[in-house]
Structures are given as structure tokens and as C-alpha cells.
Amino acid sequence: MAQTRGKALGQWLVVALLIALLSGAQAVVICNVETSRLNLCRAASTGRHPPPPSRRCCAVIRRANLPCLCRYKSLLPAAGINPRNALALPGKCGLRTPRRC
């Protein structure tokens, strides 16, 4: 039970951080990435037919701890990000998407 509460609290923390990111608040580091840098990948992870990721977006993806980020994929829709598009970014940047992602 305590583990479930901890997981839920962690998820709400990430949602709060995503909201802060979208409102322009100061960056926080999650999974080796400053939350403010995630905006560089926003265009490539939203909409029905997103453009390819930019070089700057791919630089963010390369620095990120991808298995760590995968734990938060269920929270992406709350920030207006399409999880399928977001999970395609590593492949589009020449990386492997973690298997359990």
C-alpha cells in the first residue's frame, strides 16, 4: 500500500513539474534532462503528423535516461503530448527505444 502511494505521489509530482514547465517556471532535472529543454521536442511529439525532431531535440534525447523517462509515459497526455509520438523520438534520433517502454 505504501509503495502504491509513493508511486502515485511520484506521478503527481511529474504532472506538477510538466505543468510548471508549460507555464514557464524554472527548470528541474528529471531523468538527466532539464524540464525546460523538453520543450525542444514538443513539436515532434504533438499532433497527428508531427515534424521530424530537430537536432536540438535529438541532443536532449541523447542525454536523457530513456528507461527513466519511460516510467512517466502514462503522464504525457496530461501535458498534451502524444505518447506514441514521444516514444518514436529515440528511433528518429538514431537511438533504440528501451524494450520495456
Side-chain angles (χ1 to χ4, degrees), residues 15-26 35-36 39 42:
V15 169
L17 290 172
L18 288 171
I19 291 169
L21 166 69
L22 295 175
S23 66
Q26 193 169 9
T35 54
S36 62
N39 266 339
R42 187 158 186 77

Side-chain angles (χ1 to χ4, degrees), residues 30-34 37 40 55-66 69 95:
I30 297 176
C31 303
N32 297 340
V33 178
E34 284 186 23
R37 309 268 311 150
L40 295 171
R55 276 191 239 145
R56 293 174 70 196
C57 171
C58 287
V60 169
I61 298 297
R62 285 185 186 96
R63 275 193 299 270
N65 177 337
L66 295 177
L69 285 176
L95 301 170

Side-chain angles (χ1 to χ4, degrees), residues 56-88:
R56 293 174 70 196
C57 171
C58 287
V60 169
I61 298 297
R62 285 185 186 96
R63 275 193 299 270
N65 177 337
L66 295 177
C68 175
L69 285 176
C70 287
R71 287 185 260 163
Y72 302 109
K73 69 181 177 186
S74 64
L75 303 175
L76 295 175
I81 296 171
N82 180 321
R84 187 175 356 156
N85 294 347
L87 292 175

